[in-house]
Amino acid sequence: MILILLILIPFAGGLLSWLLSRWSDKWPRWLSLVAVGLDLALAFSLWIGHRSSLYFIGKETWIAEVKIKWIPGLGIGFHLAMDGLSLLMVMLTAFLGIMSVAASWTEIRERVGFFHFNLMWSLAGIVGVFLSLDLFLFYFFWELMLVPMYFLIALWGHERRIYAAVKFFIFTQLSGLLMLASILGLYFAHGQSTGTFTFDYEQLLGTTMSSTKALFLMLGFVIAFLVKLPAVPFHTWLPDAHTEAPTAGSVILAGLLLKTGAYGLLRFAVPLFPGTASDFSNIAMVLGVAGILYGAMLAFAQRDFKRLVAYTSVSHMGFVLLGIFAGNALALQGAVIQIICHGVSTGALFIIVGALQERIHSRDLEKMGGLWTVAPRIGGAGLFFALASLGLPGLGNFVGEFLVLAGAYAVNPGLTVVATVGLVAATLYSLWMVQGAFFGPRKEGPKVPDFGAREMSVVLLMMAVIVWIGIYPRPIIKAATRTVNTLRQTVGPVQSNKKATQPSSPGGNYDPQ
Amino acid sequence: MMPQALLEHGFLLAGALFALGLIGVMVRRNILFILLSIEIMLNASGLAFVAAGARWGQPDGQVMFIFILAMAAAEVSVGLALVIRLYHVFKSLDADCASRMKG
Amino acid sequence: MPELLWLIPALPLLGFIVLVAAGSRLSRRTVAIVGTGSVGIAAALSIFLGTGFLAYPPLSHHYSQTLWTWIDLGDFRPSISFYLDPLSLVMVFVVTVVGFLIHLYSTEFMSEEEGYSRFFAYMNLFVGSMLILVLADNLLLLYLGWEGVGLCSYLLIGFWYKDTANGKAAMKAFIVTRIGDTAMAVGLFLIFVNLRTLNIQEVMQKALQSWPESSALAVAAAALLLGGALGKSAQLPLQTWLPDAMAGPTPVSALIHAATMVTAGVYLIARTNVLFTLAPVVQEAVAIIGALTLLLAGFSALTQHDIKRVLAYSTISQIGYMFLALGVGAWSAAIFHFMTHAFFKALLFLGAGSVILALEDEHNMFKMGGLRTELPVTFRTFLIGAASLSALPLVTAGFYSKDLIIWSSWSSDKGGPLLWAAGFAGALLTSLYTFRMVFLTFFGEKKGVVNKRPGIRMKIPLVILAALSIVGGFVELPRTLGNFPAFSGFLNTVLPPVETAHGDLSLEAIMQIGASLLSILGIYAAYILFLKRRRYTEELGIVPISQAIHRFWFSGWGFDWLYDRLFVRPFFWAARINRDDFIDLIYAGVAWYNRFLHRALSLTQSGRIRWYAAGITLGAIITIGIAVIL
């Protein structure tokens, strides 16, 4: 029941925000804040309640599960379930939801009710994606989160918002269509081999089919998720969408929507087609490394602050892709941590850029410079998150990247060395960004008020999360352990065959107790 | 029962009339003449039905012709009404004036 | 008592947090007290722990303390834990004591500056990170400190951020060192994947057990760690950032770019000495790199105008000596030289700082001169520092440490005549450029007006460091002069002694006398060339070939130029031409193609019914035609 509540609360909050916005603009803001706050509290209570059982090794059981018949004739059920990974993802969603509501407090002045309606509905869709275990339901939520996002970009975006919104929609919609085709293909393949036609994830696991069929079906899923992630060469929707979206939109795009791609790979693409996925892993790892380097290079070339941050996402999500397909415990845990930390740190950078744009009405790095003098708090926050994004040890992103790379090294040392060059590239663009915006001589321009209490508390909370994960990531690792272990067991055998020559791989059996 | 040859002659006449009407639709710009040409085409097809009906001694051909007549009358009344509206708007009976719905 | 170990890095970090959180609201006095006090207490604590360690050495020769497990993933369980053995004790002692003195000096030096609390916050963060680096018991925590000091170096070089040039120097420093750090990170992956641990002691044990000497893995591991060390310690080929790093405030140069951070590479190699012993090729490379660097940097130091750049090149050169020592297996000699170098180089930087402050930000030595009488304390202490750097025999600390290195580079089984010759020639260079600096700055005619004389808070650190620059050498006396190897004896539980191949006592004495004479000769040559007979150098400066050589040395042997052409410009070029992402062009092409089709098709929608009728007819004819033909 609590799972349904997790989805319903933002839905209802969104509707109410819209309805009550006729009285005052304050209503939608507070209502949305309360709704996501409630969501976070619910997710947190789940975490506290299941802290000890989360990393219990054994037969996989979910923390919470809801299974209701929906359209039994077609084998469609309303099946929600939560394990450690989805719990983390839901918590990230609610946390970033709070941050994005708080960040758009003064930025959004038109159609406030409708804005919050869209914000809440896309959050609800994202929560649904992270919880659903029925492929039909999953697809439903997958599409549901897009439409409000489209409106967020197209209505409250910046100069080229229509172009960006349409591009975003076409990319995700087309890739979603591929996924739909694969879902149907899987549905029929399972139906033909067993006689039961169902969309249920747990039953579809381990469907037997010919390897060509498996390859094509997996590609449908994988391409949809790679577009969302995004991986090179499907990344080009991202800079436009991120740059043109309003701050809250960018936070949700970078912090959550991209993560649905990674989540989809972890939850669906790899476990549903284990053998095929490990055959595909080399290509995926190469794509990941290409993303790391290419994204960093493009980020360095940008003059638009927001576009620069957008490209860093391409680079960082490359690490996630590398980690997922390296497939051992170290790399998978690293990918999970990287997902969370990237969500928070890039979200924070978008909030900072948004705050700057609200103040100086420009995102051009060449028109900034010397902002430290007038706004040291913004500067300090910008510096902090730039350092997080370049992977400074002691901050969460370092833990993620280090684990991914250490894990990937065991699988493919050569590729990992190339990926590690990404650390230098990350230094380049991060420092370039800080130098361009905050250091150097102050150029003439409008008065820049520093962060106020609201913005400062938003940023401080995000800093606290990053530092916490940086020096004490064990709760996150514990929460994800069971999911990661299950994943390794499904993918494991094929991989260990491949590395038969290397007896002591970090993917080897271990017990965190 | 009509001999085979007469049927062929009937069809040929119907074909010729149809082609004349079609050419009229395509080359005439005056919308009234286009309507006239459509009438010729309708009648040509009606003639074909009658000839075929006579050939096999069936009444269906003539039934079809009556349908066509009724349909043509309806078409002309609607068509003429449109022509009057068109003339009001464009002050002309040139069909090419009404090309506002181009893509 | 060892339970207090964690406080040593924690106190400066606490100071950092206090200063960042409340710095802008605190008075300068409070900021100075918090900033200096936190390091001061850490220094007192480290002396306290150190005396305890000396008085009652623990049986296992180390204290260790685990705070918490950092990451816990199967075999991969690095923890936040500290490890104090003689090696880290020496490092902690130098870092906290020199750090405290430099903080004290800064309270006065920086008193006129904006961002007073920011400065002390960064400095405290630096000391904290450096202490984590030297106390870390595993390589991942060491890497945390390693990157932390790099960050502080970046922040402090760019402290005066309003000048874009400072920002660029800071970025250069961070990026060049990060290149080395990346190699080191790969080294950590390699070590972990193959040895299943990152704990330094376990790594060394397991490496000894499972890696045969010169095995590929051992060589790769050592080479990758060396990459990190080269970047941090500004050795060839990653030395280019250090001279530019002088853009930062002078106390920063003294603390970070002379005394502590840049020697982190030396510490890393000494700490993981087993890996280097297992990879003799790499160890030889360390020696050769050290020898080359010390010569190249020495020549460059000889040509600089900027007093801080002379000192920067001198630092590179002296670290070259330390690398030479590491390369020939004289581990404790390297650490000994690290210690004395920290004293006298910090002293020289602080002295240069008070000269620069007195002459209102004048860095050019040729515009100084005659400051001997104007700044007597600075002059005397600077002279002591310079003497120690030039290794003036018997009375200076630099003599004992450098002499040990030169002797080891001959006597060790890994040494040889070429390495020895480099070190020997370097000694002449060192005293030449050092006293060039002394004579240009403090002797000759007066050129600048002294506006500001150092106060008590600047004088005390100068005097203490001057004392240490003399006394610091007496902890290790060579066999020819009393044979008192206390320092290396203290370290021998961590660092194996030199494996001597040619241990002739009389040869050692002859070489010491030779080196001493060389050092005095260098001073005399500097006296002739830069004070007594200036026209010799002026005449030399007119000859085209010497001008060319001068330019070449002045620019640091053209490394900046080369890297600019080889890496920087191609990268900028590639980034610039691909700003709009050529992959997007593919998608834009698809979009364009669709739009083209759409336009073409919409042309057929002319709105003329006669055309439509013609179209219908044509279609009908074609359809009927196809039907007939088929």
Side-chain angles (χ1 to χ4, degrees), chain B residues 77-96:
Chain B
S77 57
V78 176
L80 282 175
L82 281 175
V83 168
I84 291 166
R85 284 305 306 156
L86 214 65
Y87 185 74
H88 268 289
V89 176
F90 294 108
K91 303 289 175 227
S92 154
L93 283 177
D94 187 347
D96 289 356

Side-chain angles (χ1 to χ4, degrees), chain A residues 292-293 296 315-316 319 338 386-393 397-402 405 416-431, chain C residues 143 147 174-175 178-186 189:
Chain A
I292 293 170
L293 296 179
S315 183
H316 286 140
F319 281 104
Q338 174 79 348
L387 293 174
S389 111
L390 68 77
L392 190 80
N397 303 49
F398 168 75
V399 178
E401 285 169 17
F402 191 88
L405 290 171
T416 309
V417 171
V418 179
T420 313
V421 176
L423 295 181
V424 179
T427 317
L428 279 174
Y429 65 67
S430 302
L431 297 188
Chain C
Y143 191 71
E147 293 283 294
F174 202 13
I175 290 162
R178 200 110 208 277
I179 292 170
D181 297 354
T182 303
M184 182 172 159
V186 176
F189 304 149

Side-chain angles (χ1 to χ4, degrees), chain A residues 167 233 235-236 294 297-298 300-302 373 390-391 393 402 405 409 420 423-424 427 440-441 470-471 473-474 506, chain C residues 68-70 72 76 140 147 151 161-162 164 167 174-175 178 182 189-190 196 571 574-575 578-579 581-582 584 587:
Chain A
K167 193 170 179 179
H235 63 280
T236 69
Y294 193 67
M297 177 125 176
L298 278 165
F300 178 73
Q302 303 307 314
T373 319
L390 68 77
F402 191 88
L405 290 171
Y409 190 88
T420 313
L423 295 181
V424 179
T427 317
I471 56 177
R474 287 172 67 196
Chain C
W68 69 84
T69 307
W70 185 2
D72 182 3
F76 190 74
L140 196 67
E147 293 283 294
L151 165 71
Y161 59 87
K162 287 177 190 168
T164 312
F174 202 13
I175 290 162
R178 200 110 208 277
T182 303
F189 304 149
L190 186 144
R196 317 299 305 155
F571 182 77
N578 194 28
R579 176 172 286 160
D581 191 1
F582 80 95
D584 197 31
Y587 293 109

Side-chain angles (χ1 to χ4, degrees), chain A residues 88-111:
Chain A
L88 290 175
M89 291 295 130
V90 170
M91 287 185 63
L92 180 71
T93 310
F95 179 74
L96 288 181
I98 294 175
M99 297 301 137
S100 50
V101 171
S104 32
W105 209 263
T106 54
E107 186 191 334
I108 303 298
R109 291 171 193 283
E110 286 165 25
R111 284 178 286 197

